[in-house]
């Protein structure tokens, strides 16, 4: 059996409804912002449960604009997780600020108990990442942030529908950034992102920032960016957002089968603690081999048997050549480094059949049982 990783051909196999909307839209020639974007923003705010949602050009821009709106700029430090996707640190860097990494928990999100030590006079914000769709420990993070009077922006790019203590990812801090990239849980036909916030003033500022600082056609209120949510992507978004609850439920169900089947390999395989305060939406289904030496052979075995497993991510950011000027060295973030050598990701998306999920898990079982 072959189990592919990318489900995009299935996701959009019946595009007629979307194409029909795009054809109608073409006649309006209303290609930037407009009613499709308004509608998507309304639906997104409703989905996440915030007063406002602002459509922007990408998930990276969502983080960058949110940080810009709270005043991050040159020379500032922003604390974030050591094991994230490059875009998190990239958004901080784009503003001339410095990403300051903090090690993570066994459930792949920033370790709240280690944040305080990373705070300096230059620290201006905390940017927790809900990696894999697992909510970071937002209650302790928000307590710490308020103690030090630091704003929080959440990287919820992988976490549409995730929650901590019953409150959705992206809604704990001043703002939350989401990505609609083709590989994310709620995906469109190119790059797009969304920022959510409950603050009226953030909403106003973000709308200026994404559109050159233009308050009206003729009036500029600040230096901004060109980062609007594309109207055509908003049309795709309006089509797919209705499916979000089903997509999420399906992924959670698939993951529960993995948890059960891989749970039998206790001495060989480790599954992150399933904390009851967190609602996981499984953008990624990540697990670990107990013995580092098993990772490469298992990865190869999965591929030889048709399972398109991945590793998110094999080289942590702080050890990447492109970030070497930040001055980090091996050993700085032991848990992040350990995870990078032990993790494997299995396909978990909503289009997989139960047979396919069971086949992937069975292949992992076979790998350990045949030896
Ligand atoms: C995808 C992603 C981003 C960036 O989103 P883009 O839409 O690709 O710019 C940022 N952070 C994390 C954790 C992501 O997974």
């Amino acid at each position: 059996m072959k189990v592919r990783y990318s489900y995009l051909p299935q996701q959009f196999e019946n595009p007629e409804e979307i194409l029909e909307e795009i054809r109608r839209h073409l006649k309006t020639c209303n290609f930037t912002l407009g009613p499709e974007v308004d509608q998507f923003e309304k639906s997104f705010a409703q989905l996440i449960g915030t007063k406002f949602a602002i459509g922007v050009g990408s998930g990276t821009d969502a983080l960058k604009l949110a940080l810009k709106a709270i005043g991050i700029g040159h020379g500032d430090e922003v604390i974030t997780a050591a094991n994230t996707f490059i875009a998190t640190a990239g958004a901080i860097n784009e503003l001339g600020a410095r990403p300051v990494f903090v090690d993570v928990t066994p459930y792949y999100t920033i370790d709240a108990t280690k944040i305080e030590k990373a705070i300096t006079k230059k620290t201006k914000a905390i940017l927790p990442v809900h990696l894999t769709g697992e909510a970071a420990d937002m209650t302790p993070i928000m307590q710490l942030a308020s103690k030090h009077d630091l704003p929080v922006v959440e990287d919820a790019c992988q976490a549409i529908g995730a929650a901590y203590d019953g409150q959705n990812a992206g809604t704990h801090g001043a703002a939350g950034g989401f990505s609609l990239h083709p590989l994310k849980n709620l995906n469109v036909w190119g790059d797009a992102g969304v920022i959510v916030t409950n603050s009226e003033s953030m909403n106003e500022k973000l709308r200026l920032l994404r559109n050159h600082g233009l308050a009206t056609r003729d009036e500029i209120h600040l230096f901004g960016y060109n980062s609007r949510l594309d109207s055509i992507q908003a049309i795709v978004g309006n089509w797919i957002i209705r499916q979000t609850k089903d997509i999420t439920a399906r992924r959670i169900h698939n993951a529960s089968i993995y948890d059960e089947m891989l749970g039998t390999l206790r001495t060989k395989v480790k599954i992150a603690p399933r904390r009851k305060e967190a609602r996981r939406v499984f953008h990624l289904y990540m697990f670990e081999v107990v013995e580092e030496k098993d990772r490469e052979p298992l990865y190869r075995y999965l591929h030889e048997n048709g399972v398109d497993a991945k590793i998110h991510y094999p080289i942590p950011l702080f050890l990447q050549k492109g970030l070497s000027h930040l001055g980090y060295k091996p050993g700085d973030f032991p848990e992040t480094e350990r995870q990078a050598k032990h993790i494997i990701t299995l396909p978990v998306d909503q289009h997989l059949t139960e047979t396919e999920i069971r086949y992937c898990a069975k292949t992992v079982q076979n790998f350990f049982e045949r030896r």
Side-chain angles (χ1 to χ4, degrees):
M1 185 183 282
K2 266 209 155 5
V3 185
R4 84 291 173 278
Y5 194 84
S6 173
Y7 53 95
L8 290 177
Q10 280 159 288
Q11 180 86 327
F12 296 113
E13 76 188 339
N14 295 312
E16 270 321 307
E17 219 177 299
I18 303 173
L19 292 174
E20 201 45 54
E21 273 298 298
I22 292 176
R23 266 184 219 107
R24 184 198 53 71
H25 176 70
L26 271 178
K27 291 190 188 123
T28 71
C29 289
N30 201 356
F31 294 142
T32 53
L33 300 176
E36 291 81 8
V37 173
D38 294 344
Q39 188 194 330
F40 182 77
E41 289 175 336
K42 242 184 228 131
S43 310
F44 199 87
Q46 202 166 26
L47 177 73
I48 305 298
T50 49
K51 280 201 193 124
F52 309 103
I54 302 98
V56 294
S58 68
T60 311
D61 277 3
L63 301 174
K64 180 176 79 177
L65 268 56
L67 290 172
K68 177 83 182 171
I70 59 169
I72 302 302
H74 269 275
D76 294 339
E77 292 180 357
V78 177
I79 290 174
T80 194
N83 68 336
T84 183
F85 178 56
I86 178 61
T88 316
I92 298 166
N93 179 69
E94 277 191 62
L95 294 170
R98 179 189 173 87
V100 172
F101 295 126
V102 166
D103 211 356
V104 295
T105 61
Y107 35 94
Y108 315 120
T109 59
I110 193 165
D111 188 336
T113 66
K114 294 188 175 145
I115 291 176
E116 205 150 32
K117 265 206 293 205
I119 296 175
T120 72
K121 282 201 193 75
K122 292 182 177 171
T123 307
K124 293 290 158 54
I126 304 173
L127 179 49
V129 183
H130 306 296
L131 202 75
T132 75
E134 173 90 42
D137 291 315
M138 289 317 294
T139 304
I141 292 170
M142 291 311 295
Q143 279 164 359
L144 203 68
S146 114
K147 178 176 158 197
H148 292 272
D149 205 15
L150 290 169
V152 171
V153 170
E154 293 165 71
D155 182 342
C157 284
Q158 300 190 358
I160 288 179
Y164 186 87
D165 275 347
Q167 190 181 332
N168 280 338
T171 68
H172 296 256
F178 293 84
S179 169
L180 310 178
H181 180 278
L183 293 178
K184 300 293 156 80
N185 285 19
L186 193 167
N187 48 6
V188 296
W189 291 356
D191 282 307
V194 194
I195 307 161
V196 297
T197 182
N198 283 314
S199 152
E200 185 99 44
S201 64
M202 280 288 281
N203 175 54
E204 276 169 28
K205 198 151 190 195
L206 288 165
R207 285 176 193 283
L208 290 171
L209 282 171
R210 74 162 174 194
N211 193 23
H212 305 294
L214 287 165
T216 66
R217 189 183 175 283
D218 303 315
E219 284 170 293
I220 297 145
H221 282 194
L222 44 77
F223 265 121
Y225 302 87
N226 178 350
S227 185
R228 297 173 292 253
L229 171 61
D230 191 280
S231 309
I232 290 177
Q233 300 307 343
I235 290 173
V236 183
N238 283 328
W239 178 81
I240 204 158
I241 197 167
R242 295 174 298 205
Q243 304 169 26
T244 312
K245 291 219 162 105
D246 292 336
I247 290 171
T248 308
R250 199 70 230 159
R251 284 173 175 265
I252 292 172
H253 173 73
N254 289 346
S256 74
I257 300 174
Y258 280 146
D259 277 3
E260 192 190 307
M261 289 183 72
L262 300 184
T264 63
L265 298 167
R266 234 169 258 283
T267 59
K268 301 292 181 195
V269 155
K270 204 181 111 198
I271 298 168
R274 302 307 190 201
R275 302 164 299 148
K276 62 177 180 326
E277 61 272 30
R279 179 176 195 250
R280 284 159 288 278
V281 295
F282 296 99
H283 171 62
L284 305 174
Y285 187 89
M286 210 141 99
F287 72 98
E288 295 176 25
V289 292
V290 171
E291 308 267 359
E292 184 184 329
K293 65 169 174 47
D294 285 337
R295 211 267 297 273
E296 289 317 309
L298 171 59
Y299 179 82
R300 238 179 301 122
Y301 184 80
L302 284 164
H303 279 261
E304 281 160 14
N305 287 280
V307 177
D308 192 6
K310 304 275 181 205
I311 292 163
H312 295 89
Y313 305 93
I315 307 171
L317 289 184
F318 73 98
L319 298 178
Q320 293 280 358
K321 192 168 91 183
L323 282 74
S324 60
H325 62 282
L326 295 176
Y328 292 112
K329 55 183 189 313
D332 282 349
F333 307 106
E335 177 62 13
T336 297
E337 224 172 311
R338 188 199 64 73
Q339 287 172 9
K341 294 174 184 153
H342 291 78
I343 46 173
I344 289 199
T345 304
L346 292 175
V348 72
D349 64 83
Q350 63 275 14
H351 293 283
L352 292 161
T353 62
E354 183 151 339
T355 311
E356 287 172 314
I357 294 286
R358 288 188 183 278
Y359 175 77
C360 294
K362 185 76 187 117
T363 309
V364 177
Q365 290 174 341
N366 289 346
F367 172 80
F368 289 108
E369 277 157 17
R370 80 200 162 117
R371 296 144 100 229

